[in-house]
Amino acid sequence: MTNTNSSKKIANYGVAWEGAFGYVQALQVKDTIYISGQLSHDEEGKLIAPATLDGKGRPSDFTQMEAQIRQTYVNAKKLLAEFGATLDDIVEETLFVLDVPSAFAAGSRVRKEMYGTDMPPVASNLIGVNALAFPEQIVEITFRAVIDRNAA
């Protein structure tokens, strides 16, 4: 984590696309943490559970949706920890997906697992899109968390 000034803190993974696109993975301003679109990569930036591509370079199926969503939450948890936060601090999330039906099915299972409840107290959006940053990527999730700055 890096302090950009007294009112902003940032966190990055150090993956190549941060510098290439010019952005931070997470930013805390006052009591709010904004987490940029997360995907299912490992520590070196290699995509976990990449979708199989067809002859046109598009995902041929969405069977990897659950694995990609799960790893995306794992990555978000790592970023939150940089600020002393957890998924309990999340107030809003937006899932950008290439296939809404498979994301709805997989996301409902993974979200309940990750939040540890059948009704996560999180405002949630599920949005179908035509493409994401990497061809094998079929999901990207943004998060917003609010923390109690007066907590111990």
Side-chain angles (χ1 to χ4, degrees):
M1 181 163 19
T2 305
N3 288 327
T4 57
N5 63 42
S6 61
S7 67
K8 288 184 183 179
K9 297 177 190 170
I10 64 170
N12 273 325
Y13 289 118
V15 292
W17 56 85
E18 292 165 351
F21 193 68
Y23 76 106
V24 298
Q25 294 289 344
L27 168 72
Q28 180 183 350
V29 179
K30 299 181 182 178
D31 63 352
T32 304
I33 302 166
Y34 303 89
I35 299 181
S36 295
Q38 296 299 296
L39 53 132
S40 65
H41 63 83
D42 63 15
E43 297 289 329
E44 289 78 43
K46 181 180 175 189
L47 198 64
I48 301 293
T52 302
L53 302 180
D54 64 18
K56 296 179 182 179
R58 302 276 304 157
S60 59
D61 66 56
F62 301 99
T63 56
Q64 297 296 351
M65 185 69 76
E66 186 168 334
Q68 283 198 22
I69 291 173
R70 183 171 284 105
Q71 183 62 39
T72 301
Y73 275 93
V74 167
N75 291 345
K77 287 168 67 172
K78 290 177 187 176
L79 285 172
L80 288 165
E82 291 288 321
F83 301 94
T86 68
L87 286 178
D88 290 339
D89 299 302
I90 296 293
V91 296
E92 183 179 26
E93 63 183 17
T94 300
L95 292 80
F96 299 93
V97 301
L98 295 188
D99 185 71
V100 171
S102 63
F104 190 88
S108 65
R109 287 188 298 272
V110 175
R111 290 180 71 255
K112 291 173 183 179
E113 171 191 323
M114 290 293 168
Y115 288 107
T117 181
D118 285 343
M119 186 66 69
V122 176
S124 186
N125 309 291
L126 179 63
I127 300 171
V129 297
N130 289 326
L132 293 165
F134 301 103
E136 301 87 357
Q137 179 188 0
I138 54 179
V139 63
E140 184 167 315
I141 308 174
T142 63
F143 300 87
R144 183 174 307 145
V146 177
I147 56 174
D148 183 355
R149 294 175 59 189
N150 298 317

